[in-house]
Amino acid sequence: MSRPDLRARIESARARREREGLLRRLRTADALPGGRRLVGGGRILTDFCGNDYLGLASHRDLLAALTRAASAEGIGTGAAHLVSGHRREHAALEEELADWTGRERALVFSTGVMANLGCLQALLGAGAPGKTDAVCVQDKLNHASLIDGAQLAGAELLRYPHADAEAAARRLDSRPDRPALLATDGVFSMDGDIAPLADLAQVCAERGALLYVDDAHGLGVLGPEGAGAVAAAGLGVREVPLLMGTLGKALGCAGAFVAGDATLIDAIMQFARSYIYTTAQPAALAAATRAAVHLARTDRDGRRDRLHANIARFRAGAAQLGLPLMPSTTAIQPLWIGSAEAATEAARWLEAEGFLVVTIRPPTVPQGGSRLRITLSAAHAPDRIDALLDALGRLPRPTEATAV
C-alpha cells in the first residue's frame, strides 16, 4: 500500500483556489504621507483599506518614543516575557491599558491572532488535560482566530446566527451542565457592525458563562476616551470579564492585549502557549504604544471627531449614489458586490483610478458575499473621500450573471 502524497494534495488545493480566482498574492505598499501608498510598480494610491483609523502610525510622538527606547534598550528583547524579556516598558504599557479599559490587569501579546489563540486555549482548556468538557459559543461572523482558539483548546464549538443574542442563549441552554465561554467580536471586521454587547452580557450573566469580547476594531475609535465598543455600551468588567484589543489598528503600532480581573489574567499567563513560548515584542514598540494610548485617550487633536465626520461624509455620499453599503456606522464600510470575480474587477478598476481598496472573497466571507472593504481614517482629507465617491459612482456595475 503506497502512502498518499501530501505534497500532491497541497498543490492540488492551491491549484483549485487559483482556478476559482481566490488565490491570495503579496505585493509591497510602502507608506507615504497623507494616507497614501507607493504600490509595487511605482504607482501612488490613496489607501482606503488599512486599519490606521486615527492616523497615528507615523505620529511624531510615537516615532520619538520608539527611538528613545530603542537607543536605551536595543531592538530585540531576546527572550519570552516569563524568562527575561519582560521590560519596564511592557509593565508600564500593561498598567496603562488596564486603566484605560477599566480593568484590574492586562497582558500584552505579540499579535492579535496570538492573543485570541492563547487566551481561548488557556481559558477553555486550563486544568483539563486532553479534551476539555468546556463549550464555546461564538457568533458566525467572528474573526477566524477566535474560532481557531476554541478548536485549539479542544472545546465544543457552537455558533449562532450573526448578532442574534436569543440564538446565543439557546446555544448555551443546550449545554446547561458544561462550563461555557461566549466569544464575540465587538466590531465585526468584515461587516463593520457592532455586536449586541449588552444583550450578550445579560445572556451570559443569566447562564453563568464567561463573556470574551475581541474589540480589535473598536478600541481607540468608540466609547468614552476611545476605550472601545464595550465602554460605548456602558459595560464594565463585571459584565465583560475579558476584553481583547489590538495595538496595530487605531493605535498605529503592533501587538495586542487581554484585560480583565487579576485572577483570570494570571490564569491566561500560566496556560496560554502563544504567550509562554514566544519572544516578547521589542520594548521600543511598547514605548511607542504607550505614546499612542496617551494620544488616543486624550484626543487633543480631535482625531476621533475627524474620523466620525469622514464616516458620515462617506455614508451620506454613498446614499446619494445609491451604493449598496452594509449597515455599518464604524470605520469599516463594506460595499457589497456579489461574486469574487466581480469584486476583483471592481478593485482593479478603482486602482486604475488611484485608490487602494481591498477585495474580500470566500472563504473569508460566504459564497456570493464578496465585497469591497472600504476603511476610513482620520488621516483622509475630505477631498479624497469625495474623489473615492466619484470613482465609485462611475464604477462599472457587474452584470446579473456575475453579481452573485
Side-chain angles (χ1 to χ4, degrees):
M1 177 179 176
S2 61
R3 185 187 303 277
D5 189 333
L6 182 59
R7 176 185 287 273
R9 179 187 297 176
I10 294 167
E11 292 176 351
S12 174
R14 183 198 176 280
R16 182 170 59 252
R17 179 160 287 187
E18 186 169 22
R19 287 194 305 272
E20 294 170 350
L22 301 176
L23 201 64
R24 296 179 170 98
R25 301 183 189 277
L26 274 176
R27 63 175 178 174
T28 59
D30 296 328
L32 296 173
R36 298 174 301 155
R37 296 290 180 265
L38 178 63
V39 178
R43 295 210 64 212
I44 295 177
L45 307 175
T46 303
D47 182 7
F48 278 101
C49 59
N51 298 323
D52 184 17
Y53 300 132
L54 298 181
L56 292 178
S58 58
H59 194 283
R60 61 183 180 276
D61 289 1
L62 275 66
L63 297 174
L66 185 139
T67 302
R68 283 196 305 270
S71 297
E73 293 273 359
I75 303 300
T77 54
H81 283 279
L82 293 173
V83 181
S84 62
H86 193 66
R87 306 292 172 80
R88 190 174 304 170
E89 290 289 353
H90 296 125
L93 173 59
E94 289 176 345
E95 290 178 4
E96 290 164 14
L97 290 168
D99 182 68
W100 188 22
T101 58
R103 279 155 176 77
E104 195 173 5
R105 187 176 170 191
L107 195 68
V108 169
F109 283 76
S110 295
T111 71
V113 169
M114 290 173 68
N116 280 339
L117 292 179
C119 289
L120 266 64
Q121 170 254 317
L123 295 163
L124 294 164
K131 187 172 177 64
T132 178
D133 64 343
V135 62
C136 188
V137 173
Q138 297 201 25
D139 191 293
K140 285 219 176 212
L141 297 189
N142 270 0
H143 192 271
S145 59
L146 289 172
I147 297 164
D148 293 348
Q151 293 173 332
L152 178 65
E156 182 181 10
L157 177 61
L158 302 177
R159 301 174 74 181
Y160 58 88
H162 179 50
D164 189 338
E166 292 182 1
R170 291 194 294 271
R171 297 291 187 271
L172 288 169
D173 289 343
S174 71
R175 304 292 188 273
D177 57 343
R178 307 263 289 280
L181 180 146
L182 190 153
T184 182
D185 285 11
V187 174
F188 289 90
S189 59
M190 293 300 110
D191 284 24
D193 58 335
I194 302 171
L197 294 173
D199 292 341
L200 292 172
Q202 183 175 351
V203 164
C204 289
E206 292 172 351
R207 291 159 177 82
L210 276 178
L211 178 56
Y212 180 106
V213 175
D214 173 345
D215 204 21
H217 296 275
L219 187 75
V221 174
L222 303 175
E225 294 190 338
V230 172
L235 305 176
V237 67
R238 179 178 298 178
E239 296 85 5
V240 182
L242 291 157
L243 170 65
M244 193 283 279
T246 53
L247 311 175
K249 295 181 174 62
L251 294 181
C253 295
F257 71 97
V258 61
D261 67 61
T263 301
L264 285 174
I265 298 304
D266 188 66
I268 290 170
M269 187 180 72
Q270 300 301 324
F271 297 109
R273 295 169 70 87
S274 64
Y275 178 83
I276 297 167
Y277 299 112
T278 194
T279 300
Q281 66 169 211
L285 184 56
T289 307
R290 292 179 63 199
V293 170
H294 175 74
L295 288 168
R297 290 190 75 171
T298 58
D299 197 24
R300 291 172 183 162
D301 296 334
R303 290 170 184 267
R304 266 191 298 280
D305 287 343
R306 287 206 301 278
L307 171 61
H308 292 297
N310 284 347
I311 295 168
R313 186 184 193 95
F314 178 77
R315 287 194 64 85
Q320 289 178 353
L321 293 169
L323 297 176
L325 289 184
M326 300 177 77
S328 164
T329 59
T330 69
I332 300 166
Q333 293 292 318
L335 177 62
W336 183 89
I337 300 293
S339 76
E341 179 184 8
T344 300
E345 286 302 314
R348 288 175 181 158
W349 191 89
L350 287 171
E351 183 169 327
E353 294 289 311
F355 303 100
L356 185 59
V357 178
V358 72
T359 305
I360 305 297
R361 303 167 297 172
T364 304
V365 293
Q367 290 291 336
S370 293
R371 77 281 307 265
L372 299 176
R373 182 181 180 271
I374 298 164
T375 54
L376 299 168
S377 168
H380 286 135
D383 68 313
R384 298 313 297 157
I385 295 173
D386 292 345
L388 174 63
L389 286 165
D390 176 70
L392 290 171
R394 293 182 287 108
L395 182 68
R397 294 293 185 262
T399 64
E400 188 174 345
T402 60
V404 293

